[in-house]
Amino acid sequence: KNQVEQSPQSLIILEGKNCTLQCNYTVSPFSNLRWYKQDTGRGPVSLTIMTFSENTKSNGRYTATLDADTKQSSLHITASQLSDSASYICVVSRQTGANNLFFGTGTRLTVIP
Amino acid sequence: EAQVTQNPRYLITVTGKKLTVTCSQNMNHEYMSWYRQDPGLGLRQIYYSMNVEVTDKGDVPEGYKVSRKEKRNFPLILESPSPNQTSLYFCASSRGDTSNQPQHFGDGTRLSIL
């Protein structure tokens, strides 16, 4: 069964600290993995997209890693800011089929001053 | 500015009263889809369209209809809304096959069915 699981469900950190969010998947055959940021009251916005051959990709203070062998990804946020408070959603794409996106339920991150 | 626009953003209505949520994108994207987002369940696909006049069911299509008469528009129709369709709805578009292209999401429509 194709699944995407994220952990933790929620996380509270102090401003300026680093954090890491996890995503494990069983989607096959794998095409790519995306991380989205969803601010409260807004739609998800793409942060990174990684294919099988990429094991790390950065977007400013956000760094995503991918281990295709263990089917795990992480999103590392460096020097967190209050504006990082959001839900982070992991989405895994399958190579075949038109209905080929599998969504995690997200990690809710709260950054406090 | 490239965007996906949904209307309305908020709607409270009653059971059985037909409603339509519009979605429009200005990026000339072929692929469009509708999702609902519920607490603890994440985003679930309702319907998708790979191009004009081509639509197909997603994971949770029951109680919904869509149409794709023009490339830019992809309305979601609830013919007889019920309380279990109370949710946050998102429209998304992408260029070509979603397996390779990131999706652009609208800002959501919060529907409450009483």
Side-chain angles (χ1 to χ4, degrees):
Chain A
K1 184 179 178 184
N2 293 298
Q3 284 187 309
V4 178
E5 295 185 354
Q6 294 186 243
S7 62
Q9 277 191 321
S10 61
L11 183 61
I12 301 174
I13 62 172
L14 289 174
E15 186 179 12
K17 297 295 186 182
N18 303 334
C19 69
T20 300
L21 314 180
Q22 300 289 345
C23 174
N24 296 337
Y25 64 92
T26 59
V27 177
S28 181
F30 176 83
S31 177
N32 58 65
L33 184 146
R34 310 117 184 257
W35 283 95
Y36 284 85
K37 179 187 180 189
Q38 184 178 16
D39 292 315
T40 301
R42 305 298 298 273
V45 174
S46 179
L47 291 174
T48 64
I49 180 169
M50 289 184 292
T51 60
F52 186 88
S53 59
E54 297 172 300
N55 56 21
T56 186
K57 184 164 278 189
S58 292
N59 179 356
R61 294 179 296 103
Y62 301 100
T63 299
T65 64
L66 173 65
D67 186 334
D69 291 331
T70 62
K71 298 187 177 181
Q72 296 179 325
S73 176
S74 64
L75 180 68
H76 186 73
I77 304 175
T78 304
S80 61
Q81 300 176 357
L82 298 179
S83 59
D84 292 330
S85 295
S87 288
Y88 292 84
I89 302 171
C90 176
V91 183
V92 181
S93 171
R94 189 173 56 183
Q95 288 180 14
T96 56
N99 189 12
N100 56 10
L101 294 179
F102 298 88
F103 290 80
T105 56
T107 292
R108 177 71 203 176
L109 175 65
T110 303
V111 181
I112 59 175
Chain B
E1 179 189 353
Q3 58 186 3
V4 177
T5 304
Q6 297 179 224
N7 279 297
R9 293 291 312 279
Y10 306 91
L11 180 63
I12 301 174
T13 187
V14 296
T15 299
K17 186 175 181 181
K18 181 180 178 180
L19 66 91
T20 299
V21 184
T22 63
C23 173
S24 181
Q25 50 93 5
N26 62 1
M27 296 167 279
N28 201 36
H29 284 168
E30 291 84 10
Y31 187 99
M32 297 185 74
S33 57
W34 275 103
Y35 298 88
R36 60 178 290 174
Q37 187 176 40
D38 301 290
L41 295 178
L43 285 156
R44 293 181 292 168
Q45 192 177 54
I46 302 170
Y47 268 94
Y48 63 94
S49 169
M50 299 185 76
N51 215 322
V52 175
E53 302 292 0
V54 181
T55 64
D56 209 345
K57 296 177 181 179
D59 298 317
V60 288
E62 293 77 20
Y64 305 95
K65 285 176 54 176
V66 293
S67 68
R68 188 91 182 272
K69 294 183 171 58
E70 306 165 278
K71 198 171 188 178
R72 65 182 292 123
N73 296 324
F74 190 45
L76 178 70
I77 302 156
L78 284 72
E79 292 271 4
S80 182
S82 61
N84 64 11
Q85 293 177 298
T86 292
S87 187
L88 179 58
Y89 291 85
F90 288 98
C91 179
S93 73
S94 65
R95 179 164 48 93
D97 186 353
T98 55
S99 65
N100 294 312
Q101 302 294 330
Q103 287 188 294
H104 299 260
F105 286 84
D107 279 337
T109 295
R110 186 166 291 281
L111 284 183
S112 294
I113 315 295
L114 305 177

